[in-house]
Amino acid sequence: MKSIFHYAIAIALIVVMGSCTTSKKQQVFSVNQAKQALDTALVQYKLMYNSIPDRGKYPTSTHKNGKTRWTPPTGWTSGFFPGSLWYLYDYSKDETFRDMAEITNAALDTIKTYTGTHDIGFMLYCSFGNGLRLTGNEQYKDILKTGAKTLASRYNPVTKTTLSWSWGARMGWQFPVIIDNMMNLELLFWAAKETGNKELYDIATTHATTTIKNHYREDYSCYHVVDYDTINGSIRWRGTFQGASDSSAWARGQSWGLYGYTLVYRETKDPKYLEQAEKIAGFILNHPNLPEDLIPYWDFNAPNIPNTERDASAAALIASSFLELSQYVEEPNKSTYYLAAEKILAKLSSEEYLAKTGENNFFILKHSVGFHPKGLEVDSPINYTDYYYIEALLRYIALNE
Ligand code: GLY
């Protein structure tokens, strides 16, 4: 009897281990590889920091002529370089990275009252948000609280959304809202928690709910831009600015949405946002134009696929989102997202995408697309790609250690 009992236990263990292996199968990446990639990033970003000509300039991408493209503090991408330095400090605990992050943060202080952009969440939360998380610096709290109020001033109760570009009138728009705004809600959620200001929480959730209704198509792809009428809140126009066409699925836009709804679910625990994130995930993963290695073309409906550029920024965002999303759902989706993220990280960490130290203007990854229709940053390194790649690597390590 005893041996039969042991036999039964052994079978049960094999079955359980079998199912564990299922959730870990096809391991194409490892913690060691993630650490190697981060070690490369440490070298690159130290070199990058030392290449900065003055403190008011933030490395953003590469010009067509091969030179580094810099942005001032008011540029929407200014927070990503300091944000990456904070993440690298988090990884290495090397005080040099903390010093570099603090110094690059400093020139962004003025952004807290800058009313000219909806991207204040990117600019302040990546830089001061990470700084606060890692150091508890009280000054950073004040900057973030003021920044959240500035962002909230772009909310319109008629459209039930926050305004994107302030220059919309040039395009004939009244109140343009782009999918990218979903990312900036993180700052509002933080400030609502920190200050107890329910209005900020309500603005964030109302924006997210309105965006589900108005930005998303039946197949859960999204428009890049929705223009609202400010008198009655109706929709004047839907289309694109950076994508291939008004009816296409611009890859980074789909990724901003995926990341955005995952974070809104994290902050609210409202299942409708989780459902939205999963539907977007389904659109991405089941798309016939998604390559086998899961690095999207710059637009899912780009002309000339497969002879067009991939976008590593979209891939890095998807990997980071999937690692988080995998923690909120049950099998089989849990493994689907986790394994997809692992596959993306493996590809991004290969020679094809990960630059050698000293190359690529000291950016970490190659092959992103910023604004294809304008011919800007086409097949370029971009600082937000690096930021979300580092974030994904850290999330990957955290989940495995
Ligand atoms: N937020 C602008 C972009 O994704 O290019």
Side-chain angles (χ1 to χ4, degrees):
M1 272 308 280
K2 197 175 167 202
S3 63
I4 289 173
F5 179 68
H6 280 154
Y7 184 65
I9 293 274
I11 295 278
L13 272 175
I14 288 165
V15 169
V16 170
M17 282 165 68
S19 65
C20 289
T21 345
T22 313
S23 67
K24 288 269 180 207
K25 79 181 171 196
Q26 292 168 359
Q27 193 186 351
V28 289
F29 196 57
S30 67
V31 167
N32 268 350
Q33 284 169 300
K35 289 185 175 173
Q36 272 168 23
L38 286 167
D39 291 343
T40 302
L42 290 174
V43 177
Q44 284 291 79
Y45 267 39
K46 213 179 247 186
L47 290 168
M48 172 88 90
Y49 181 84
N50 289 325
S51 77
I52 296 174
D54 73 62
R55 286 291 142 238
K57 286 189 164 183
Y58 291 81
T60 289
S61 59
T62 294
H63 283 290
K64 272 188 200 144
N65 65 10
K67 297 221 162 103
T68 305
R69 181 166 170 257
W70 309 96
T71 194
T74 49
W76 82 273
T77 57
S78 59
F80 294 114
F81 181 62
S84 293
L85 291 172
W86 283 116
Y87 272 147
L88 292 173
Y89 170 58
D90 194 2
Y91 167 64
S92 64
K93 308 291 180 265
D94 175 347
E95 291 296 325
T96 326
F97 276 88
R98 177 178 172 155
D99 293 346
M100 293 189 290
E102 282 175 345
I103 289 166
T104 45
N105 263 13
L108 291 181
D109 172 80
T110 52
I111 298 305
K112 64 180 186 276
T113 51
Y114 177 52
T115 50
T117 183
H118 60 283
D119 280 327
I120 202 160
F122 282 122
M123 295 148 90
L124 296 183
Y125 205 68
C126 299
S127 52
F128 295 105
N130 277 311
L132 174 65
R133 178 175 64 81
L134 294 166
T135 67
N137 183 336
E138 286 291 323
Q139 269 180 333
Y140 289 1
K141 258 191 200 172
D142 290 337
I143 293 168
L144 290 165
K145 280 191 242 173
T146 309
K149 267 200 225 150
T150 306
L151 175 57
S153 71
R154 299 177 76 82
Y155 181 74
N156 183 324
V158 176
T159 65
K160 297 187 171 27
T161 53
T162 53
L163 173 68
S164 294
W165 302 309
S166 303
W167 43 264
R170 266 195 264 150
M171 303 290 292
W173 297 326
Q174 270 187 21
F175 196 93
V177 177
I178 59 176
I179 188 63
D180 322 28
N181 275 31
M182 287 299 302
M183 300 293 288
N184 292 290
L185 303 182
E186 200 166 11
L187 175 63
L188 297 179
F189 281 121
W190 173 85
K193 261 188 291 193
E194 180 63 28
T195 62
N197 182 342
K198 172 95 171 33
E199 200 189 335
L200 296 176
Y201 182 93
D202 290 343
I203 288 176
T205 52
T206 308
H207 178 96
T209 304
T210 309
T211 299
I212 292 180
K213 194 166 126 233
N214 296 332
H215 261 79
Y216 279 86
R217 306 180 179 110
E218 269 182 21
D219 64 359
Y220 292 95
S221 68
C222 69
Y223 293 93
H224 181 200
V225 189
V226 174
D227 184 33
Y228 290 86
D229 183 306
T230 48
I231 305 296
N232 58 25
S234 65
I235 290 162
R236 299 180 71 240
W237 179 79
R238 291 180 171 103
T240 198
F241 189 59
Q242 284 165 258
S245 76
D246 290 340
S247 58
S248 75
W250 174 50
R252 196 165 48 260
Q254 313 314 306
S255 317
W256 290 141
L258 174 69
Y259 194 113
Y261 283 102
T262 304
L263 87 82
V264 177
Y265 176 69
R266 179 212 307 148
E267 298 299 334
T268 62
K269 293 291 171 241
D270 182 334
K272 75 168 178 268
Y273 301 122
L274 180 62
E275 188 187 335
Q276 183 69 13
E278 289 220 88
K279 297 283 191 196
I280 300 167
F283 172 82
I284 292 171
L285 287 174
N286 297 320
H287 200 286
N289 288 341
L290 181 69
E292 172 61 29
D293 61 15
L294 308 186
I295 313 294
Y297 294 100
W298 66 276
D299 189 304
F300 283 91
N301 309 103
N304 304 325
I305 287 175
N307 299 315
T308 193
E309 293 78 13
R310 306 289 194 96
D311 180 14
S313 79
L317 274 160
I318 293 170
S320 191
S321 310
F322 274 176
L323 288 174
E324 179 169 7
L325 193 55
S326 72
Q327 300 309 295
Y328 302 147
V329 298
E330 303 297 329
E331 296 292 359
N333 293 7
K334 191 179 191 65
S335 286
T336 303
Y337 303 144
Y338 177 85
L339 292 171
E342 195 171 59
K343 198 166 180 182
I344 293 171
L345 287 180
K347 187 70 180 181
L348 293 181
S349 306
S350 71
E351 271 186 17
E352 193 179 338
Y353 284 89
L354 185 66
K356 289 200 176 67
T357 53
E359 296 183 2
N360 205 34
N361 285 339
F362 314 127
F363 289 98
I364 302 161
L365 291 181
K366 301 179 269 185
H367 308 313
S368 288
V369 173
F371 196 162
H372 204 291
K374 277 237 162 99
L376 292 175
E377 298 171 334
V378 177
D379 196 21
S380 169
I382 301 185
N383 65 3
Y384 45 86
T385 309
D386 288 359
Y387 178 85
Y388 292 105
Y389 174 61
I390 298 171
E391 179 181 271
L393 292 170
L394 293 176
R395 285 180 174 183
Y396 182 81
I397 293 170
L399 285 178
N400 284 286
E401 276 193 346

